[in-house]
Amino acid sequence: MRPNILFILSDDQGAWAMRCAGNTDIFTPNLDRLASEGVRFENFYCASPVCSPARASILTGEMPSCHGIQDWLCRGNVNADAHPYMKDHPHFQSHDIGIEYLAGHPSYIAELAKNGYRCALSGKWHLGNQEQAKEGFMKWFTISGGGCAYYAPDIYENGTFTYCHDYVTDVITDRALDYLDELEKEDAPFCLQVHYTAPHSPWTPENHPKEYLDLYEDCAFTATPDEPIHRNQVTSAPLGDTPERRRENLTGYYAAISAMDANIGRLLDKLECDGLADHTIVIFTADNGMNMGHHGVWGKGNGTYPPNMYDSSVKVPFIIRAPFIKNGCTGAQKSATHCDLFPTILDMAGADYKLNDRQPG
């Protein structure tokens, strides 16, 4: 039996931002559970310390110099003229006609679909033309751009954007659970991509549920450095340049992760309840790392100008639980990168595929 695949991607989460990675300030019981049942890599790296190029490399197995996306995409996400009813939405990120930035480039999703997998996306895309389900996806649920206020997501599905007031992390999980219900009824293996916007900013209190903010009310935040602001820090990032702002940023960042962790627990519980866990590969990683005061930087690679390549910007969490992993093994030392995912996922799926000379994984 070919395995199912549940691929969970967070947004701007450093490898350090999990309790199972040694951070005693943060609460991540479900990621810790996943790590205890699988393998957690301690030296796993993104292909770029910025969102869109990193995501493109995950998908294609190519470095940014090959797939061509070398910074986050502020344009080409959706066709604004096609959705005039959204023009008053303050967070609608539609700047011009949707652009297919990855046209002509491979994706492991397309290869899985060619090999009989049923593929679905719930969550962030941010690789251009969000309105169009990409090759291989038979279910497509996303947002208009690279992010949103947590209680003001603009959701795209079935040709229409919908503005809602629900917490976006819950919304993404709810649709993923719906998709699991549908996919498990098919006589074919599935690959479900769940792409959270968490823990990307905003981190202000009104953006996150009180129950998760309260977890950090008395936290001393000793797991992250408190250093002078880096001389090359950009001013557009949410800075922790005073004790009050540092506390607010870290509280919101940690709360976003704990809320996501709770929703990951819902996904893991669903696999268990429906009898899917024993033949489903679960992968968790982040698009890029994050500095929350590390090296005096607030932000990822583009938290400074010139951009930085600090370890905290390029090192990301990576956990895999799979049927062939019989005993949990945390702290695997071998180095690997997101470019390795294309061939690794396809090999685990038993897919028939060929690498090109631009795929180093």
Side-chain angles (χ1 to χ4, degrees):
M1 177 183 292
R2 290 182 295 169
N4 302 311
I5 300 166
L6 173 60
F7 187 98
I8 304 170
L9 186 66
S10 66
D11 192 348
D12 285 4
Q13 183 176 0
W16 54 268
M18 301 185 295
R19 185 166 286 250
C20 57
N23 185 328
T24 56
D25 285 342
I26 199 167
F27 295 98
T28 54
N30 291 292
L31 289 174
D32 302 346
R33 160 190 169 192
L34 193 64
S36 70
E37 297 169 347
V39 177
R40 178 180 65 81
F41 278 64
E42 291 191 347
N43 297 296
F44 201 94
Y45 299 90
C46 61
S48 170
V50 184
C51 173
S52 296
R55 289 167 180 264
S57 291
I58 291 172
L59 187 73
T60 66
E62 298 177 347
M63 292 296 289
S65 56
C66 291
H67 59 61
I69 300 178
Q70 299 189 37
D71 203 347
W72 67 278
L73 299 175
C74 65
R75 303 183 66 85
N77 290 315
V78 296
N79 181 357
D81 295 336
H83 308 280
Y85 56 91
M86 292 292 287
K87 65 181 178 64
D88 295 326
H89 187 322
H91 304 288
F92 190 56
Q93 299 181 36
S94 52
H95 299 289
D96 58 5
I97 301 298
I99 299 171
E100 291 289 354
Y101 288 97
L102 291 178
H105 292 270
S107 79
Y108 71 79
I109 296 296
E111 294 297 330
L112 285 173
K114 291 175 186 175
N115 281 268
Y117 272 74
R118 308 284 279 174
C119 302
L121 168 73
S122 180
K124 176 176 174 176
W125 182 246
H126 204 196
L127 291 173
N129 194 15
Q130 264 77 287
E131 302 160 87
Q132 179 63 50
K134 300 301 173 281
E135 182 184 1
F137 285 105
M138 46 90 69
K139 298 179 184 296
W140 184 260
F141 181 81
T142 190
I143 58 177
S144 69
C148 57
Y150 279 80
Y151 281 104
D154 47 339
I155 300 299
Y156 181 82
E157 189 176 36
N158 298 325
T160 304
F161 279 101
T162 303
Y163 170 48
C164 73
H165 297 280
D166 297 321
Y167 191 59
V168 66
T169 307
D170 296 338
V171 172
I172 290 169
T173 307
D174 289 345
R175 180 56 79 242
L177 291 171
D178 291 342
Y179 283 169
L180 276 175
D181 276 334
E182 298 169 18
L183 291 165
E184 67 182 73
K185 295 174 184 176
E186 301 280 345
D187 188 22
F190 64 76
C191 177
L192 174 59
Q193 304 281 127
V194 183
H195 295 185
Y196 290 109
T197 63
H200 195 290
S201 61
W203 304 313
T204 52
E206 65 271 16
N207 273 284
H208 302 284
K210 185 176 184 299
E211 65 180 295
Y212 299 109
L213 294 168
D214 285 351
L215 291 174
Y216 303 100
E217 184 175 10
D218 299 320
C219 184
F221 295 115
T222 58
T224 50
D226 187 4
E227 300 181 3
I229 299 299
H230 195 285
R231 65 185 183 279
N232 295 332
Q233 173 72 52
V234 300
T235 57
S236 57
L239 299 183
D241 53 354
T242 67
E244 295 77 18
R245 292 177 67 178
R246 177 177 184 267
R247 169 165 286 278
E248 179 177 273
N249 286 351
L250 286 169
T251 298
Y253 185 78
Y254 282 12
I257 292 175
S258 290
M260 177 184 67
D261 181 88
N263 277 276
I264 290 172
R266 295 172 64 199
L267 294 169
L268 298 180
D269 289 346
K270 174 72 171 174
L271 294 179
E272 294 282 353
C273 182
D274 292 359
L276 298 172
D278 289 342
H279 51 276
T280 299
I281 297 167
V282 180
I283 295 171
F284 172 79
T285 189
D287 55 357
N288 47 254
M290 189 66 176
N291 300 284
M292 295 295 288
H294 301 78
H295 310 284
V297 177
W298 292 83
K300 46 204 168 190
N302 60 5
T304 58
Y305 189 82
N308 70 82
M309 290 287 286
Y310 284 124
D311 57 343
S312 38
S313 295
V314 298
K315 188 178 284 191
V316 293
F318 185 82
I319 301 171
I320 179 170
R321 187 185 76 182
F324 53 81
I325 298 173
K326 301 303 182 184
N327 298 303
C329 172
T330 61
Q333 296 295 318
K334 183 179 179 179
S335 294
T337 80
H338 280 151
C339 286
D340 294 316
L341 291 177
F342 187 105
T344 300
I345 288 173
L346 293 176
D347 281 349
M348 291 190 298
D352 181 20
Y353 72 99
K354 291 183 179 180
L355 292 177
N356 64 47
D357 58 6
R358 299 186 306 273
Q359 294 173 297

